[in-house]
């Protein structure tokens, strides 16, 4: 099933942190890697030049191929801020809370 999401994997490979994460872009209803350039033609929206639609990420989350990597536990309902490929069974799993960002835990 992982092959079904090669578009997500290709964008996640550009994550400058090397974590393979895609971040939610709420203004654009899409997901992209951190630091992706913004479309200069957007008048009110901050849409990245390279992104995947929210529906693609929701499908990958629904079938378990991808997982929430950074979550905001203070939001109601809880929000997924970033996603990554679900690791193989037995591989280390590190889900971060929004409050962990910028700390040693996020490094």
């Amino acid at each position: 099933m992982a092959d079904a999401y090669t578009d997500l994997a290709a964008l996640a490979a550009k994550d400058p942190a090397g974590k393979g994460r895609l971040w939610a872009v709420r203004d654009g209803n899409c997901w992209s890697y951190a630091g992706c350039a913004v479309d200069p033609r957007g008048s009110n929206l901050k849409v990245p030049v390279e992104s995947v639609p929210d529906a693609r990420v929701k499908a990958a989350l629904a079938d378990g191929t991808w997982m929430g990597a950074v979550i905001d536990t203070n939001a109601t309902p809880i929000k997924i801020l970033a996603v990554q490929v679900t690791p193989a069974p037995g591989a280390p799993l590190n889900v971060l809370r929004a409050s962990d960002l910028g700390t040693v835990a996020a490094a």
Side-chain angles (χ1 to χ4, degrees), residues 23 26 68-82 95-101:
W23 293 83
R26 300 290 175 216
V70 180
I71 58 173
D72 184 353
T73 57
N74 293 319
T76 305
I78 292 173
K79 291 182 181 177
I80 297 175
L81 304 177
V95 177
L96 300 174
R97 294 172 298 179
S99 58
D100 293 329
L101 297 176

Side-chain angles (χ1 to χ4, degrees), residues 17-18 22 31 34-35 37 40 54 65 67 70 79 81 90 92 94 97 99:
L22 294 178
W31 297 73
D54 188 55
T65 306
M67 59 170 252
V70 180
K79 291 182 181 177
L81 304 177
N94 186 23
R97 294 172 298 179
S99 58

Side-chain angles (χ1 to χ4, degrees), residues 4-102:
Y5 302 105
T6 54
D7 53 340
L8 277 68
L11 275 184
K14 296 179 180 184
D15 176 11
K19 305 284 186 183
R21 293 184 182 137
L22 294 178
W23 293 83
V25 181
R26 300 290 175 216
D27 289 343
N29 199 29
C30 60
W31 297 73
S32 189
Y33 57 91
C36 183
V38 175
D39 185 353
R41 296 169 296 171
S43 56
N44 293 323
L45 299 177
K46 299 292 183 187
V47 179
V49 174
E50 298 179 276
S51 64
V52 290
D54 188 55
R56 291 285 296 148
V57 172
K58 285 182 179 177
L61 290 169
D63 74 12
T65 306
W66 285 65
M67 59 170 252
V70 180
I71 58 173
D72 184 353
T73 57
N74 293 319
T76 305
I78 292 173
K79 291 182 181 177
I80 297 175
L81 304 177
V83 296
Q84 68 185 42
V85 171
T86 301
L93 178 64
N94 186 23
V95 177
L96 300 174
R97 294 172 298 179
S99 58
D100 293 329
L101 297 176

